[in-house]
């Protein structure tokens, strides 16, 4: 098929083809980036927290309404932990400072040299006097879990140094010492002369922070072997036997209240609820972008169909003359499909350029990941196919017009 006659016909009426090409370009650029964002958000919302069984994990936030001193509060915390461990179905209990995805926790700057001007990373601080490897079901990939002598008790009302040993997550270990084992290395909390050095004795595969930052930062966590006391209240993480969580929650709450001589404020939350609350906005954004993408495809398809139908109506006499001169139905069909393919191709080329530009803006302003090439390639194939399918109906109707009918209606 000759391309030059098609180009000549398009150049005589440029407005319609330009509008369709622009529509395809804008749709491709927006669709590719929107689906990239959707995929990123869904992967973020589905990433593992590090807990071996989220469905069997929950936690209590307890505040005792009494005026006990620090030592009495420490004794109360130990007693409450033992009460919880005695509940049937409980596998492990840990008094911990924060929970993954809870959006309520603390971070600390960490470095590999106290002489650094800037910290190496910000890490979530899991401070617990119990083994989180056991309670959370964390997977140790290097080194060991804490030994009993590693744990210390710290009064929060006094200025005391932290323990000398810590465990960190693999993402943080790879950030601080890429390509090396972190076990035995010294890490510093903060920088400067007052920065405290601690030794890494173990590395766990993963443990999300309380705030679950986007990207690898969401996995920068530190486990400090210390039991904090001195402030009223405590947080207890509990892992139950599979399928026993709901029953254990009721029985554990009743056991805690019965064990206390004074009233207490007790709040319960499951890890599944934390995940749902933390990623609610991400899931909502994903569905909104999916809806926008579907609408864009429908609008673009409607535009191509409408324009193709208009061109067929305007060129009925031309079609009739060509049929009278011996053009077959397949020739008319190929002509209109090739015409739409050329217009769509111009739009696809512009959409690829525009999509790359839009992604560069998102990368620089919002720290998003770069757009993988397969999104643009897949989008180009979709719009080429869409252009052909949308033009097929009008093109087939044009090819089915008899020469006599076409010339009489001119």
């Amino acid at each position: 098929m000759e391309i030059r006659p098609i180009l000549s016909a398009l150049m005589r009426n440029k407005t319609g083809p330009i509008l369709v090409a622009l529509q395809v370009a804008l749709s491709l650029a927006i669709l590719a980036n929107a689906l990239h964002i959707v995929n990123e958000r869904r992967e973020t919302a589905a990433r593992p927290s590090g807990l071996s069984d989220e469905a069997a994990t929950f936690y209590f936030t307890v505040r005792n309404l009494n005026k006990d001193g620090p030592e009495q509060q420490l004794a109360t915390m130990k007693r409450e932990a033992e009460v919880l461990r005695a509940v049937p179905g409980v596998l492990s209990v840990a008094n911990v400072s924060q929970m993954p995805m809870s959006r309520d926790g603390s971070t600390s700057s960490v470095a590999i040299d106290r002489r650094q001007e800037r910290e190496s990373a910000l890490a979530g601080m899991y401070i617990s006097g119990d083994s989180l490897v056991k309670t959370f079901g964390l997977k140790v990939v290097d080194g060991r879990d804490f030994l009993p002598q590693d744990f210390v008790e710290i009064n929060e009302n006094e200025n005391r140094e932290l323990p000398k040993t810590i465990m960190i997550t693999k993402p943080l270990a790879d950030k601080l010492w890429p390509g090396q084992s972190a076990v035995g290395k010294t890490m510093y909390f903060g920088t400067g002369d007052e920065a405290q050095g601690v030794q890494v004795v173990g590395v766990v595969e993963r443990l999300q922070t309380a705030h679950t930052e986007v990207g690898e930062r969401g996995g920068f966590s530190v486990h400090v072997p210390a039991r904090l006391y001195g402030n009223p209240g405590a947080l207890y993480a509990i892992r139950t036997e599979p399928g026993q969580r709901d029953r254990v929650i009721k029985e554990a709450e009743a056991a805690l209240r019965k064990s206390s001589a004074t009233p207490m404020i007790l709040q319960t939350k499951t890890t599944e609820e934390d995940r749902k609350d933390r990623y609610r906005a991400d899931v909502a954004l994903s569905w909104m972008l999916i809806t926008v993408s579907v609408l864009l495809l429908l609008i673009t398809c409607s535009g191509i169909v409408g324009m193709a139908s208009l061109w067929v109506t305007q060129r009925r006499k031309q079609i009739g003359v060509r049929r009278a001169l011996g053009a077959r139905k397949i020739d008319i069909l190929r002509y209109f499909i090739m015409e739409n393919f050329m217009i769509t191709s111009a739009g696809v080329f512009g959409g690829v350029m525009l999509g790359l530009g839009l992604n560069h803006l998102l990368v620089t302003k919002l720290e998003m990941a770069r757009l993988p090439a397969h999104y643009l390639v897949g989008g180009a194939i979709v719009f080429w196919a869409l252009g052909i399918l949308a033009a097929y109906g009008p093109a087939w109707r044009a090819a089915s017009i008899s020469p006599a009918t076409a010339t009489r209606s001119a």
Side-chain angles (χ1 to χ4, degrees):
M1 177 182 289
E2 291 289 339
I3 302 299
R4 185 174 297 177
I6 299 177
L7 286 174
S8 178
L10 290 175
M11 293 302 294
R12 286 195 297 269
N13 185 14
K14 298 186 287 289
T15 303
I18 289 174
L19 289 176
V20 172
L22 284 175
Q23 188 178 26
V24 170
L26 287 171
S27 297
L28 175 56
I30 295 173
L31 181 67
N33 281 280
L35 292 181
H36 176 44
I37 294 173
V38 168
N39 187 54
E40 274 202 327
R41 296 293 180 178
R42 289 191 174 275
E43 286 182 352
T44 298
R47 61 184 173 177
S49 63
L51 278 63
S52 62
D53 191 354
E54 292 185 8
T57 306
F58 70 98
Y59 60 97
F60 284 131
T61 303
V62 180
R63 182 179 177 86
N64 292 286
L65 301 179
N66 54 37
K67 298 181 179 180
D68 290 341
E71 299 303 324
Q72 289 77 19
Q73 291 170 6
L74 176 60
T76 298
M77 291 167 58
K78 292 180 178 180
R79 175 180 54 79
E80 289 174 341
E82 291 304 320
V83 168
L84 293 172
R85 292 188 180 100
V87 175
V90 171
L91 293 179
S92 183
V93 176
N95 174 219
V96 65
S97 60
Q98 62 185 37
M99 289 292 291
M101 303 176 292
S102 64
R103 301 179 126 181
D104 183 15
S106 61
T107 58
S108 175
S109 60
V110 297
I112 59 175
D113 191 332
R114 58 161 50 100
R115 292 171 295 183
Q116 292 178 211
E117 293 184 1
R118 297 183 59 185
E119 72 274 3
S120 301
L122 284 175
M125 297 289 287
Y126 286 87
I127 305 174
S128 175
D130 303 290
S131 172
L132 294 184
V133 172
K134 182 179 179 182
T135 301
F136 286 171
L138 305 179
K139 182 180 179 181
V140 179
V141 295
D142 194 10
R144 61 171 175 82
D145 192 5
F146 293 121
L147 302 175
Q149 59 267 28
D150 292 322
F151 292 95
V152 299
E153 296 173 346
I154 297 178
N155 186 344
E156 295 186 76
N157 299 314
E158 299 176 357
N159 293 323
R160 293 184 58 181
E161 291 187 353
L162 292 174
K164 298 299 182 182
T165 59
I166 58 165
M167 296 183 72
I168 64 176
T169 55
K170 193 174 189 305
L172 181 58
D174 292 340
K175 172 71 174 179
L176 299 179
W177 298 283
Q180 304 178 48
S181 172
V183 175
K185 298 286 197 306
T186 298
M187 188 188 78
Y188 294 88
F189 288 110
T191 58
D193 294 335
E194 297 183 357
Q196 180 182 348
V198 289
Q199 185 183 46
V200 178
V201 298
V203 178
V204 297
E205 184 176 27
R206 62 173 61 90
L207 177 58
Q208 283 194 38
T209 64
H211 301 286
T212 56
E213 293 85 348
V214 176
E216 63 175 4
R217 294 176 300 172
F220 291 171
S221 299
V222 176
H223 178 192
V224 180
R227 190 181 307 278
L228 301 179
Y229 67 95
N231 289 319
L235 189 154
Y236 301 101
I238 303 167
R239 183 159 65 97
T240 71
E241 295 175 356
Q244 300 297 308
R245 187 193 63 191
D246 294 342
R247 176 189 61 78
V248 170
I249 288 176
K250 296 178 181 179
E251 294 184 8
E253 180 176 350
L256 275 180
R257 294 190 183 281
K258 184 178 179 180
S259 69
S260 176
T262 59
M264 64 171 58
I265 299 174
L266 195 152
Q267 295 179 320
T268 309
K269 202 164 188 182
T270 66
T271 303
E272 289 179 330
E273 290 172 339
D274 277 340
R275 177 179 287 278
K276 183 177 180 180
D277 292 343
R278 169 60 184 86
Y279 294 115
R280 189 185 306 275
D282 297 274
V283 174
L285 177 62
S286 297
W287 282 113
M288 183 189 72
L289 291 176
I290 289 173
T291 302
V292 169
S293 299
V294 171
L295 290 176
L296 275 175
L297 285 174
L298 291 176
I299 293 171
T300 303
C301 185
S302 299
I304 296 174
V305 171
M307 188 60 65
S309 299
L310 178 62
W311 291 335
V312 169
T313 302
Q314 291 177 340
R315 288 184 279 186
R316 288 173 66 89
K317 183 176 181 180
Q318 175 188 345
I319 295 168
V321 171
R322 288 194 62 188
R323 290 295 308 280
L325 294 175
R328 299 169 299 170
K329 287 186 177 182
I330 189 64
D331 296 326
I332 303 299
L333 185 64
R334 287 170 55 194
Y335 178 91
F336 281 101
I337 289 180
M338 178 57 68
E339 186 178 64
N340 271 275
F341 180 80
M342 292 170 62
I343 296 171
T344 304
S345 296
V348 164
F349 179 77
V352 169
M353 297 297 103
L354 187 59
L356 291 174
L358 177 59
N359 179 249
H360 178 72
L361 180 64
L362 294 173
V363 169
T364 54
K365 300 297 183 182
L366 300 179
E367 298 183 1
M368 283 189 55
R370 293 199 175 276
L371 180 66
H374 63 265
Y375 283 94
L376 293 172
V377 173
I381 294 173
V382 167
F383 279 98
W384 272 321
L386 188 64
I388 292 173
L389 292 175
Y392 185 84
W396 178 256
R397 288 196 299 271
S400 302
I401 299 176
S402 67
T405 303
T407 51
R408 280 201 308 268
S409 62

